Amino acid sequence: MERKLTKSNNDRRICGVCGGIAEYLDVDTTVVRLFTAIFAVFTAVIPVLFVYLLAAMIMPSNEI
C-alpha cells in the first residue's frame, strides 16, 4: 500500500496538517504538535506559521 502525505480529516485542530504528518510518520499527533510549538518558539513563530499555511494550501485532503 502506497502512503501519501495528506491532511487528516479525523485528527484536526486547525487544518489537519499536524494530524496528517503524524499519520504519515505513524507517531502520536501530540508529538508532532509539541515539536511544532517548540520550533515556533525558537524561530519567532513567523517561519512556522508560513510553512504551516503553505502546507495547508498544498497538501491534499484525506479522501475516505
Side-chain angles (χ1 to χ4, degrees):
M1 184 166 106
E2 182 182 340
R3 294 186 334 173
K4 293 180 105 179
L5 180 59
T6 59
K7 292 186 279 189
S8 177
N9 285 337
N10 35 334
D11 191 10
R12 60 189 310 160
R13 295 282 184 234
I14 300 173
C15 293
V17 174
C18 288
I21 291 171
E23 289 173 3
Y24 182 77
L25 296 175
D26 197 27
V27 296
D28 186 33
T29 309
T30 306
V31 173
V32 175
R33 289 189 180 117
L34 186 61
F35 177 76
T36 303
I38 291 170
F39 192 65
V41 167
F42 286 111
T43 61
V45 178
I46 300 300
V48 173
L49 183 63
F50 177 73
V51 170
Y52 187 90
L53 292 175
L54 188 65
M57 290 187 286
I58 293 174
M59 287 172 64
S61 293
N62 185 5
E63 300 297 327
I64 297 176

